[in-house]
Amino acid sequence: MVENQYIDIFNQYRSKIDSKSAAGMNNLREKALEAFKKQGFPTKKLEDYLYLDVSAEFMPDFGLNLNRVPFQGNPYIAFRCEIPNMTTNLYFVLNDLFHEQHKPQVNYPKGVFVGSLTQFAEQQPEICNKYYGQIADLDNNGIIAFNTMFAQDGFVIYVPKGVVVEEPIQLINILKSEFNYLVNRRVLIIAEDDAQVKLLVCDHTVDESQFLVTQVTEIYAGKNAIVDYYDLEENSDKVTRLTNTFVLQEQTSNVLVNNITLNTGVSRNNYNVKLNGEHAEAYVCGMVIADRKQYVDNFAFLDHAKPHCTSTQLFKYVLQDEAKGVFCGRILVEKDAQKTMAYQSNNNLCISPDARMYAKPQLEIYADDVKCSHGLTTGQLDEEALFYLRSRGIGYDAAKLMLMQAFTAGVLEHVRIPRLRERLQDLVEKRFRGEDARCGNCMVCK
C-alpha cells in the first residue's frame, strides 16, 4: 500500500518535522497519524471519489523539503504578478515554505497579522490553538490527515474584532523544483466579529517537474464578518492539486469563495461550508476551463445549521478535447434551519465530442419552511445563437469565443473586486484563444 511508505517516512523523520515547525502545528500530528492509518487515501470505492484514484497520484517518488531549505533569490524580483490599477499587499509561498525575507512592510491596523503560520503559532499560540485544525475534518478524509501530518508552515491572516483591511491581500504559490516534488500547504484565515478581509491566491508552476500538492484552507468568519477568498489556478499539466477548504460562519457573516481554474493537470477541490449563525450568507462559485486530458473535480457541501441563512452555489465548466469534469454539489438543511434560502446551479459546455462531464446535484432538507433549488445543464454551444452571430458577419471562431465568454460571465460577476474581475475576464479570453493564460506581467527567472 502506498500509505505505508508515507507512514514510515513520517515515523522516521518525525523529530525533524517537529523541529522545523511550531508547537501549534505539531500538537495535531499524532491525531492525524492515527486518522491516516485508519482511512488511508480516498479510493474509487467511495461515492465522492468515483472518478479519481487518489492513491495512484501518490505512487511516484516525490521529494519532500522536511529540512525547510529556503528558496534562493528574491521572488519579488523574479516573479511579478500585477493586476493593473489594483493595489495588493503581496506575499509568496514557495512550494510549501512561506517566504519571510523580502516580505512587504505594511502598516496594518493594530492587531492584524499576515504571514507565516509557523511564526503566528509561536507568537500567538492561544489564538493559533483555538483555530488551527479545528474545522478541518481529518477524521473523515485521509488527504486532510496526511496534510496535517506533514505540513510544517503555511499562510495565515488574522484580523481582530472590528478591524477592516481595506486593500486586498495577494498570495502567490510558486511550484519550483528540478525533481518531482510533494508540497503540503496550509492557509488559515481568521476574521473575528465585524472584521473584513479579501485574499487572492494565485497558483503558478515554474518548472516542468511533476508536482503533487495537498492544501488545507480554514476560514473563520465571526459575527458580521465579511471574507472574500479567490483561488486562481494557473498550474502546468504536470500538477496534481488536492485541496480542502473549510468555512465556519457565525451570525450575519458574509463569505465568498470563488475558484477559477484556467490550467492544471489533475485538480480536486473540496468545499465544506457551515452556516452556524442566523442570517449568514455564503457564496461558493467555480469556473473551469479545461482541455487536452486535464481533469477537474469540484465537490461542494453547504450545511445550513441555523435559520434565516442564504447560500448560493454556482459552478460552470467549459471542456474541450478529452478533458474530464466532475461536479458534486450538496446542500444540507438541518431540522431547525427554517427560512433557509439555498440555490445551486451547475452549467457545463462540452465543446468537443470526446469531452466528458459528470455531475450530481443533491438536496437534503429536514426543515419545512425553506426555499431551495438546484439546476443542472450539460450540452454544447447553442447552434442557433452561433448561426445568428455568423449571420451578422461574425466569423466562426469569433462567434464561438463570444458565446463561451458569455457562458462564463455569471461566475465572474461574483468577483467583488472590480479590477480583479476585469483582469480575470482578460485571462479567460486568452485561455479560450488557446494562449498562455498567465497574467500578462508575470515574469519568471529560473
Side-chain angles (χ1 to χ4, degrees):
M1 292 175 60
V2 67
E3 289 87 352
N4 290 337
Q5 68 174 345
Y6 287 106
I7 292 172
D8 291 342
I9 291 172
F10 178 79
N11 288 329
Q12 182 178 354
Y13 294 99
R14 173 66 187 275
S15 60
K16 185 179 293 294
I17 293 171
D18 286 353
S19 68
K20 299 294 183 177
S21 191
M25 302 182 71
N26 296 337
N27 292 339
L28 293 178
R29 297 196 198 279
E30 199 64 37
K31 180 181 178 182
L33 173 62
E34 295 306 313
F36 183 66
K37 287 180 179 178
K38 182 179 178 180
Q39 301 169 80
F41 294 118
T43 70
K44 288 187 174 182
K45 293 181 181 179
L46 299 175
E47 185 177 356
D48 293 337
Y49 284 86
L50 284 175
Y51 306 101
L52 178 62
D53 186 352
V54 174
S55 295
E57 302 298 328
F58 284 84
M59 286 295 293
D61 290 330
F62 291 101
L64 282 162
N65 186 12
L66 301 182
N67 283 312
R68 295 182 66 194
V69 178
F71 180 88
Q72 298 300 316
N74 183 353
Y76 290 89
I77 295 175
F79 197 100
R80 301 190 186 116
C81 184
E82 301 171 354
I83 298 173
N85 303 317
M86 187 181 92
T87 302
T88 63
N89 298 321
L90 184 61
Y91 299 86
F92 286 89
V93 167
L94 306 163
N95 294 325
D96 47 16
L97 179 64
F98 178 77
H99 186 74
E100 186 69 33
Q101 192 179 11
H102 309 112
K103 73 176 183 180
Q105 301 300 314
V106 183
N107 293 320
Y108 288 112
K110 184 179 179 180
V112 173
F113 183 98
V114 180
S116 165
L117 178 56
T118 298
Q119 188 179 89
F120 180 71
E122 293 171 345
Q123 293 182 2
Q124 303 194 47
E126 292 184 3
I127 299 176
C128 182
N129 292 339
K130 180 180 178 181
Y131 292 103
Y132 175 76
Q134 298 307 303
I135 58 173
D137 188 9
L138 57 83
D139 290 322
N140 291 295
N141 189 311
I143 300 173
I144 300 170
F146 177 88
N147 177 279
T148 306
M149 288 164 56
F150 283 101
Q152 294 172 283
D153 196 12
F155 182 74
V156 62
I157 299 174
Y158 170 66
V159 186
K161 183 177 181 179
V163 174
V164 176
V165 179
E166 296 288 352
E167 291 186 347
I169 296 167
Q170 185 175 8
L171 173 65
I172 298 181
N173 292 319
I174 297 179
L175 295 175
K176 180 176 175 61
S177 176
E178 296 179 357
F179 50 86
N180 294 347
Y181 207 85
L182 172 57
V183 171
N184 299 292
R185 297 191 298 237
R186 300 290 293 218
V187 177
L188 176 61
I189 303 173
I190 306 164
E192 293 187 339
D193 295 352
D194 301 299
Q196 296 183 29
V197 67
K198 300 179 181 69
L199 174 64
L200 166 63
V201 180
C202 302
D203 277 16
H204 293 279
T205 311
V206 173
D207 293 321
E208 291 302 315
S209 301
Q210 186 174 352
F211 292 92
L212 174 58
V213 179
T214 74
Q215 178 173 303
V216 177
T217 300
E218 296 175 284
I219 301 173
Y220 296 84
K223 181 180 178 181
N224 298 320
I226 300 176
V227 179
D228 285 17
Y229 178 72
Y230 303 98
D231 186 12
L232 178 61
E233 291 186 66
E234 298 178 279
N235 288 315
S236 77
D237 290 0
K238 294 184 179 180
V239 174
T240 294
R241 183 178 185 262
L242 308 171
T243 76
N244 286 272
T245 300
F246 293 85
V247 180
L248 181 63
Q249 296 186 232
E250 300 301 337
Q251 181 179 347
T252 60
S253 61
N254 186 300
V255 174
L256 168 65
V257 176
N258 201 327
N259 171 268
I260 308 293
T261 301
L262 295 180
N263 203 69
T264 191
V266 174
S267 184
R268 164 74 185 217
N269 303 299
N270 293 340
Y271 303 97
N272 294 268
V273 180
K274 186 168 186 176
L275 295 93
N276 201 44
E278 292 193 33
H279 300 285
E281 296 183 28
Y283 302 86
V284 181
C285 306
M287 184 182 72
V288 175
I289 302 174
D291 55 19
R292 289 157 286 182
K293 294 186 178 182
Q294 296 173 349
Y295 174 94
V296 184
D297 186 340
N298 287 306
F299 177 92
F301 172 47
L302 275 71
D303 179 2
H304 286 256
K306 301 293 182 180
H308 301 282
C309 293
T310 303
S311 71
T312 298
Q313 287 184 52
L314 176 61
F315 283 81
K316 294 193 174 188
Y317 290 65
V318 179
L319 306 175
Q320 303 184 69
D321 303 328
E322 298 178 58
K324 181 185 293 185
V326 181
F327 172 75
C328 180
R330 181 183 172 203
I331 296 173
L332 170 63
V333 181
E334 298 188 25
K335 182 178 179 180
D336 296 328
Q338 304 293 347
K339 303 296 182 181
T340 286
M341 291 191 291
Y343 308 102
Q344 180 190 102
S345 180
N346 172 225
N347 308 112
N348 313 298
L349 280 179
C350 291
I351 304 298
S352 306
D354 292 327
R356 295 291 182 267
M357 183 68 205
Y358 304 92
K360 184 173 66 173
Q362 296 173 296
L363 295 177
E364 189 173 348
I365 303 172
Y366 297 98
D368 53 18
D369 187 5
V370 302
K371 292 182 179 180
C372 299
S373 67
H374 63 73
L376 165 65
T377 62
T378 299
Q380 298 178 323
L381 288 173
D382 188 330
E383 291 295 336
E384 291 186 4
L386 195 59
F387 175 80
Y388 175 82
L389 291 174
R390 297 193 67 189
S391 69
R392 295 300 185 270
I394 300 173
Y396 177 80
D397 290 339
K400 182 179 173 182
L401 176 64
M402 290 175 64
L403 290 178
M404 289 191 295
Q405 284 184 293
F407 176 79
T408 60
V411 175
L412 296 181
E413 288 173 0
H414 282 283
V415 176
R416 300 192 288 206
I417 305 173
R419 294 296 183 183
L420 175 59
R421 182 169 59 247
E422 294 172 8
R423 188 59 179 148
L424 289 173
Q425 289 170 344
D426 291 340
L427 292 175
V428 169
E429 181 177 346
K430 288 175 64 177
R431 184 68 173 87
F432 283 142
R433 291 184 184 277
E435 301 174 14
D436 188 350
R438 280 186 178 176
C439 303
N441 295 326
C442 285
M443 179 182 71
V444 178
C445 297
K446 298 183 180 180

